[in-house]
Amino acid sequence: AIAAAEAALARIAADPIAAFRFSSLSQRRFAESFHKFREVYLRAGNQAGKTHVAAHYFVALMRGCGSLDGVSLPLLGTPVSGLVLAHGREMSKESVIKAVRIAVGEWPHHLEKIGNAIAAIWVKPNASKSDDWTTWSAVRFFVEDGQSVEGMRLDFAWADEPPKWDLWYSLRMRGRPNRPFLRGITATPLDKKRWKPLKEDFKGCEWPKGKDGKVEIRLSVYDNKALSAEHLAIVQADSAGPLQEAKLLGEYVDLTGTNPFDAKGLKVWLERC
């Protein structure tokens, strides 16, 4: 039994895309929506599987796979070039880069580093016969402040958590001429300053109709069939607090004004006296 389990794990590591299975209907809708919409916003709770599904989807595009767990993928050709946005370098390392590396597994790839930080991952397309990693598909990881996207030409862009909005506007123009440019946002709406422009931009874009080439899909932690009942109970208990509906259900939560006696408010009052 142990040998069989080890063999199964080895097969998954060798080709995570072939082994991938959607753990919710909303995850499947995320993948299906790119055939109809240019931009897909997956608004989700924590541990609902939003980063996991996006990482596998975009790695499958980089490899030129025809499908992901039975969902056909757009024919972009390979190699492709993509970009991932994250709020900070440590967050990127522990979240989105980790998820992409899991989706790549032991498939031929190359890590491009700046110091100890991973700046890009190059992935060998299925049809490639070259061992020169500079000819493979690539995804670059950008921290929002300090890096410019001007002049880039991309096949896909992915924001893990609500993006800095002026940067996302700029990214929308970074596609290649006469080619699809797929854009995904996977986010838990915790900070109003971050989610407010996202909410306004996707107003009226609810699945399945969407609007203006964009669609918003909802995903709660309870939709994730990969989580056991025991783990869900722990997540529910640990999420207790004013942001619980955002953490579990992906609901927009506005805490503005909930504590009128904070230090900033008292300073304003003092200056009026």
Side-chain angles (χ1 to χ4, degrees):
I2 293 174
E6 289 178 344
L9 290 173
R11 287 195 298 271
I12 293 172
D15 192 348
I17 300 304
F20 175 82
R21 296 296 179 266
F22 296 107
S23 64
S24 69
L25 179 59
S26 292
Q27 282 191 348
R28 183 173 290 273
R29 287 172 177 168
F30 174 82
E32 292 172 338
S33 293
F34 284 104
H35 280 290
K36 183 178 179 181
F37 301 97
R38 297 188 302 277
E39 193 163 309
V40 182
Y41 169 27
L42 187 60
R43 176 157 60 100
N46 290 135
Q47 298 195 38
K50 63 183 188 301
T51 306
H52 182 72
V53 67
H56 281 78
Y57 182 84
F58 290 118
V59 169
L61 287 181
M62 294 170 69
R63 284 182 45 183
C65 297
S67 64
L68 181 66
D69 189 17
V71 174
S72 62
L73 302 182
L75 299 176
L76 301 183
T78 53
V80 299
S81 179
L83 181 142
V84 177
L85 284 180
H87 291 184
R89 197 163 298 283
E90 286 303 311
M91 173 187 167
S92 175
K93 180 175 69 175
E94 296 301 323
S95 177
V96 67
I97 293 179
K98 183 177 181 179
V100 170
R101 295 192 69 180
I102 289 173
V104 172
E106 295 175 5
W107 189 264
H109 64 282
H110 172 79
L111 302 181
E112 182 180 330
K113 293 186 176 183
I114 299 177
N116 292 325
I118 296 175
I121 298 179
W122 299 71
V123 178
K124 187 176 184 177
N126 293 3
S128 175
K129 300 186 183 304
S130 173
D131 291 328
D132 179 3
W133 59 266
T134 63
T135 66
W136 298 349
S137 297
V139 59
R140 297 195 173 277
F141 303 97
F142 270 33
V143 176
E144 291 181 340
D145 294 318
Q147 292 175 292
S148 173
V149 299
E150 296 302 323
M152 299 186 75
R153 285 293 174 256
L154 303 167
D155 298 291
F156 71 85
W158 168 26
D160 187 45
E161 300 304 345
K164 191 174 181 181
W165 207 243
D166 57 348
L167 183 58
W168 190 253
Y169 270 139
S170 179
L171 262 177
R172 281 176 170 168
M173 299 302 295
R174 302 275 67 85
R176 302 181 191 276
N178 303 317
R179 288 189 59 164
F181 179 32
L182 307 182
R183 303 183 298 273
I185 300 174
T186 53
T188 299
L190 297 174
D191 183 351
K192 184 180 179 181
K193 294 191 297 294
R194 286 279 188 170
W195 61 246
K196 185 178 179 181
L198 189 53
K199 180 182 179 181
E200 293 174 350
D201 193 79
F202 278 82
K203 185 177 182 179
C205 295
E206 295 81 6
W207 191 91
K209 290 185 178 180
K211 187 177 71 172
D212 300 330
K214 300 178 294 184
V215 67
E216 176 184 348
I217 300 170
R218 296 288 304 281
L219 173 62
S220 87
V221 68
Y222 301 107
D223 297 326
N224 189 355
K225 304 307 180 186
L227 301 181
S228 67
E230 293 77 12
H231 187 75
L232 280 174
I234 293 172
V235 171
Q236 183 167 321
D238 290 347
S239 67
L243 290 172
Q244 186 173 50
E245 288 193 350
K247 293 178 178 179
L248 295 180
L249 308 176
E251 293 283 359
Y252 291 114
V253 177
D254 183 3
L255 300 182
T256 303
T258 53
N259 180 11
F261 300 103
D262 63 353
K264 183 178 178 181
L266 289 173
K267 183 179 179 180
V268 171
W269 290 358
L270 180 63
E271 290 173 348
R272 290 174 180 169
C273 296

